[in-house]
C-alpha cells in the first residue's frame, strides 16, 4: 500500500477516536531515520524508526535515556493490530543491528494515541509498558475550580531569591517520579536543574509561581506560554498551546489544597493568554499525579510506550 494512502487512512482512523489528534503526513527517510513498512491480513503499517542521542549534561538528559530508539507509526486496514505486530517484529530486527543488547541507557519508545486501543496486547507481548502520558486540557473544559482562597495559601510569582526553594522542590519531585521510570537519578542533576531554573528566574517575568502555606514556600508551578511551545504543539490539533512544565508540592503540604490552588492559578494565566489547550506530561503509573491531573480537567492524548533496555 502506498505511503500516502497509509498516512491518510491512519489520520482518518485516529480522527474518529479523538478530534484533538493532529493529522498525519507520509514518513520520509532521513540521515538518522529509516522507514519500515509491512502489509498483512489486508492491513498495512508504516513506521519511522529514528535514533536520538542525548549528552549526559544536557538540560533534558534527566528525563530520558541517553540513547532513544523511537518508532512513530501509522496503521490502516481492518486488522491494525496484526499490522502493528508485524511492524514491531521488523523493528526488533532493525534494533538488534543498531543497538547494544542489555544497555540500560538505551530505550525503545513508541508514541501511541491514547484512545487508539488497537494493538495494545501486541505492545505488551513485545515487552513494552505504558510509561509516560501527554495529557490535554481543552480551554472549554468545565471542571471544579478548586478551593477559592484556600486557607493559608498565597500564590506569588517567583523571583531570583527563590532559587534554593524551587531547586529543592524540583529535586523532591524528580526523586519521586524516578520511582516510575519517567526520570533518571544521575550524577549532576542538581547542577542541571539549578542552571535551568536560575535562567528562568532571571527573566523579566519568570514563568514560575510559588505557593506559600502560612508563609512557608511549599509548592511551585512552572508554565510555558503559547509561543514557547513549538517543541510540542504539533502533538495536538490546536492553534495556541500552553504547557504546564511541572507542579511540585512538598511532601508535608500534600492534601492541603496547595496543588489545586497552583493548578488553578496556572490555568487562569494560560486562559488569559488565549490558550486553546494546555498540555503536560505525567507518569502513567504515578498514583498521585494521574488522578490529580484528571480531576483538573485533563485526559490522556498520547501514551509513550517504553522498553528499556531497547534490546534485551
Amino acid at each position: 500500500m502506498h505511503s500516502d494512502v497509509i498516512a491518510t487512512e491512519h489520520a482518518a482512523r485516529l480522527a474518529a477516536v479523538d478530534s484533538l489528534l493532529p493529522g498525519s503526513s507520509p514518513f520520509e527517510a532521513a540521515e538518522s531515520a529509516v522507514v519500515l513498512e509491512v502489509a498483512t491480513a489486508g492491513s498495512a503499517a508504516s513506521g519511522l524508526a529514528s535514533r536520538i542521542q542525548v549528552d549526559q549534561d544536557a538540560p533534558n538528559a534527566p528525563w530520558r535515556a541517553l540513547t532513544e530508539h523511537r518508532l512513530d507509526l501509522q496503521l490502516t486496514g481492518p486488522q491494525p493490530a496484526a499490522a502493528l505486530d508485524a511492524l514491531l517484529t521488523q523493528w526488533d530486527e532493525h534494533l538488534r543491528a543498531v543497538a547494544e543488547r542489555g544497555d540500560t541507557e538505551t530505550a525503545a519508545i513508541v508514541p501511541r494515541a491514547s484512545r487508539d486501543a488497537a494493538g495494545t496486547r501486541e505492545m505488551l507481548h513485545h515487552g513494552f509498558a505504558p510509561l509516560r502520558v501527554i495529557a490535554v486540557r481543552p480551554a472549554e473544559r468545565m471542571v471544579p475550580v478548586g478551593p477559592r482562597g484556600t486557607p493559608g495559601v498565597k500564590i506569588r510569582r517567583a523571583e531570583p531569591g527563590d532559587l534554593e526553594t524551587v531547586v529543592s522542590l524540583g529535586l523532591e519531585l524528580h526523586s519521586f517520579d524516578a520511582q516510575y521510570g519517567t526520570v533518571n537519578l544521575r550524577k549532576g542533576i542538581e547542577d542541571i536543574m539549578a542552571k535551568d531554573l536560575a535562567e528562568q528566574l532571571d527573566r523579566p517575568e519568570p514563568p514560575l509561581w510559588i505557593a506559600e502555606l502560612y508563609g512557608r514556600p511549599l509548592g511551585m508551578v512552572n508554565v510555558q506560554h503559547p509561543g514557547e511551545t513549538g517543541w510540542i504543539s504539533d502533538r495536538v490539533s490546536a492553534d495556541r498551546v500552553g504547557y504546564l512544565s511541572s507542579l511540585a508540592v512538598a511532601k508535608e503540604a500534600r492534601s492541603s489544597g496547595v496543588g489545586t490552588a497552583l493548578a488553578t492559578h496556572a490555568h487562569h494565566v494560560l486562559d488569559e493568554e488565549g490558550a486553546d489547550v494546555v498540555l503536560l506530561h505525567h507518569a502513567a503509573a504515578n498514583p498521585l499525579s494521574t488522578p490529580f491531573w484528571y480531576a483538573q480537567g485533563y485526559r490522556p492524548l498520547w501514551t509513550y510506550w517504553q522498553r528499556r533496555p531497547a534490546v534485551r
Side-chain angles (χ1 to χ4, degrees), residues 55 80 82 180 235 237 266 272 284:
D55 186 82
Y180 307 105
R235 305 305 288 169
S237 179
E272 286 288 303

Side-chain angles (χ1 to χ4, degrees), residues 71-92:
L71 183 69
D72 292 283
L73 53 85
Q74 297 171 350
L75 309 173
T76 188
Q79 300 293 332
L84 174 60
D85 186 39
L87 183 65
L88 290 174
T89 298
Q90 187 180 121
W91 189 40
D92 278 339

Side-chain angles (χ1 to χ4, degrees), residues 11 32 49 57 68 125 128-129 134 155 168-169 186-187 192 204 216 238 254 261 281 310:
S32 60
D57 297 325
E68 284 187 355
H125 286 175
F128 289 86
I134 296 179
I155 297 178
S168 176
L169 288 167
R186 296 196 187 98
K187 183 179 179 180
I192 293 173
R216 297 179 60 200
R254 291 175 191 163
H281 285 85

Side-chain angles (χ1 to χ4, degrees), residues 98-136:
V98 299
E100 184 175 346
R101 182 182 297 273
D103 184 354
T104 58
E105 277 296 357
T106 66
I109 306 288
V110 182
R112 300 213 59 199
S114 298
R115 291 183 172 180
D116 183 19
T120 298
R121 179 175 55 189
E122 285 69 21
M123 294 294 299
L124 295 170
H125 286 175
H126 282 265
F128 289 86
L131 186 76
R132 187 191 303 269
V133 172
I134 296 179
V136 60

